[in-house]
Structure formats: structure tokens, C-alpha cells
Amino acid sequence: MAYKSLLFLALIAVTATALDVFDNSTEVIGKRSIPNGEGTNNGYFYSVYSDTTVTGTYTNGPGGEYTLTWGGSGDVVVGKGWNPGGPMSVEYSGTYSPNGNSYLSVYGWMTSPLVEYYITDSFGDYNPSTGGTHLGTCTSDGGVYDIYTQTRTNAPSIQGTATFQQYWSIRQTHRVGGTVTTGNHYSCWESVGLPLGTFNYMILATEGYSSSGTSTITVGQGTGTGSSAPSGPSSTTTTPPTAPTGGTVAHWGQCGGIGYSGPTTCASPYTCTVANAYYSQCL
């Protein structure tokens, strides 16, 4: 439901307040919605989207903290994180109190192929897997996640109106706070035939759809990128790609980043591409 369109954001930018209004401030969602936009606040990328019928307030706090209070109809999605995202240890804490349809997720986009994805730790009274295709499970960070996919046709995206896949990992036991090792989920998705693309932004998002609630979340980054053996479908285990003999790294393998001491040369025709300070990948 978080179908943010760059074209839509461009139109908003003509009439809405400048993006830096969000920095260390509170915005009231009033006669229209929260002013939509993206930017950087206290070292974190943030993204804000809401329909014109949403009411409430959004506040960027210190560090990786933000607060959302929402109500009304329509869709609102806010959060802080990174641009680009990628395999990393996402650590978060806070409070999340939805009334109705809402999700608390690591949320992001990939390109080539265009993919919108959710790693959902908690949700309200509507299970976001409804209508999706179940592909298996992924065990990560002390929990089991159900993997789903579905196709969005002619829907808003970061590349305008497009047809694209959604990938979902939905935690079977809800929680608010902990670690989300995103690399584990990427490996699980690949193991069930869901291809990865180039990472775009990734946030710890609160989303509400025709609902109400409050959410105060603080997000940060740990030192890990992914488990050596996340579980895939039917108890099958997968491991992230490793470097072949000869000192080169295979497609999708790690080739750099803080603390990494392995090979840095990608097998032909792939190039070592920086995802974040802790992880570079052969793409």
C-alpha cells in the first residue's frame, strides 16, 4: 500500500512546504496531508508519504527517531533509514499502537527488477499477506517469517506508474523492537526464486491505511549483514554467495565494506557496487 510515486512527489513539491520543514520539527496533517518528501535528518534518510485525507502529526526526532500520530482515511507511510539500503543489521526500538490496518516494517525498493519489499515485524487487524502467494518461510533473528509475493499492476512506484512485484517477509509472532538482519531475508527470497535488484532506499516504516494510531520508533545500524545459514522454504537452508577459488567474488557476493577482509574483485562481468559503508556487492 506504500506506493510512493516520484511523479506524485514532484507535483507536491510545487505547492507544499520545503523538505527541510521536517528537520527537528512537527508537521500537522491538516486540510491536506503531511507534506510529502524525502531528505536527510540527523544522518538518516527519511521518507514521508500521505494521502490528502490523512490527519495527524509527524515529527523527526534526534538521531534515528521519529514519531507519527495518524487518523482519517487513506494511506500514510513514514520512516527513517538509509539510501541506499541493502544487507545490514537494522536495530530498532520504540512503541507502536495501531487501531485498524497498519504495518511496522523494514520497507524498501529495488530496481532492475523494480521491487517493493516489506520485512514486517508487526501489523494491526489486517494481515498484509491477504491475496498474496505463499512461497515458504525464513528463520531470522529469533523468529519465523512467512514469505509472500504479489504483483502490482499499473501502480505508483519510485519510477512512476509501473507494474512490479512486492516481496513480503511477515513475522509469525509480532514484536516491536529488536534486530532485522536484512541480508537473511534477501537470501531467503532468492532461494524461493525471487530475484534481487539494485538497492534503493530502505526505512523502518510505520504505515497506516484508513486507520489510526501512534508510533515512536528509533532506528540504528548494527555490525552484521546476514546470517551464514538463513532458512528457506520447507526447512531448506541457504548460504550467501561466497568467493570462488582464484580470489574473485561470484554474482551477489560481498566484495567490500567496513570489517570485510575477503576478496574484492568480482567475477566477470560483475562490478563491486557499494550498498552502504558496511557492504559492497558484486552486481
Side-chain angles (χ1 to χ4, degrees):
M1 295 178 181
Y3 314 125
K4 291 170 282 299
S5 167
L6 292 181
L7 295 177
F8 179 78
L9 294 179
L11 293 173
I12 292 298
V14 176
T15 56
T17 347
L19 293 184
D20 60 6
V21 72
F22 299 117
D23 292 343
N24 301 311
S25 67
T26 299
E27 274 301 318
V28 177
I29 316 170
K31 295 180 180 178
R32 58 175 323 283
S33 58
I34 292 177
N36 296 280
E38 300 173 346
T40 302
N41 174 262
N42 294 322
Y44 288 87
F45 173 82
Y46 70 87
S47 177
V48 177
Y49 169 86
S50 70
D51 291 336
T52 58
T53 50
V54 175
T55 60
T57 59
Y58 169 79
T59 304
N60 261 333
E65 180 184 296
Y66 70 87
T67 298
L68 173 68
T69 300
W70 79 94
S73 60
D75 193 23
V76 58
V77 191
V78 305
K80 278 185 170 181
W82 301 269
N83 190 7
M88 68 175 71
S89 176
V90 176
E91 298 177 351
Y92 78 101
S93 60
T95 59
Y96 168 67
S97 302
N99 299 299
N101 185 358
S102 176
Y103 317 140
L104 183 67
S105 313
V106 173
Y107 169 84
W109 287 87
M110 304 178 204
T111 58
S112 300
L114 182 62
V115 174
E116 179 184 40
Y117 67 87
Y118 293 79
I119 305 170
T120 300
D121 267 6
S122 188
F123 57 85
D125 64 6
Y126 177 84
N127 190 323
S129 68
T130 303
T133 300
H134 187 253
L135 298 177
T137 60
C138 184
T139 300
S140 182
D141 304 303
V144 179
Y145 292 75
D146 287 301
I147 302 172
Y148 290 86
T149 187
Q150 56 184 318
T151 303
R152 295 288 300 165
T153 303
N154 295 328
S157 77
I158 60 170
Q159 295 183 343
T161 301
T163 297
F164 54 89
Q165 290 298 115
Q166 287 183 331
Y167 299 171
W168 293 84
S169 285
I170 303 173
R171 191 178 176 95
Q172 293 179 355
T173 303
H174 294 195
R175 66 172 180 172
V176 179
T179 299
V180 179
T181 307
T182 60
N184 291 353
H185 295 272
Y186 302 148
S187 293
C188 287
W189 293 343
E190 281 194 295
S191 76
V192 296
L194 300 178
L196 303 183
T198 301
F199 296 108
N200 201 276
Y201 75 81
M202 180 177 76
I203 59 176
L204 200 298
T206 300
E207 177 169 1
Y209 186 80
S210 296
S211 60
S212 63
T214 61
S215 180
T216 298
I217 298 296
T218 300
V219 66
Q221 184 174 352
T223 58
T225 59
S227 167
S228 60
S231 66
S234 304
S235 299
T236 300
T237 58
T238 61
T239 56
T242 56
T245 58
T248 59
V249 183
H251 190 204
W252 305 116
Q254 184 173 2
C255 55
I258 296 173
Y260 176 74
S261 59
T264 57
T265 301
C266 296
S268 180
Y270 306 111
T271 302
C272 191
T273 303
V274 175
N276 55 64
Y278 292 91
Y279 195 86
S280 296
Q281 185 179 29
C282 289
L283 299 173

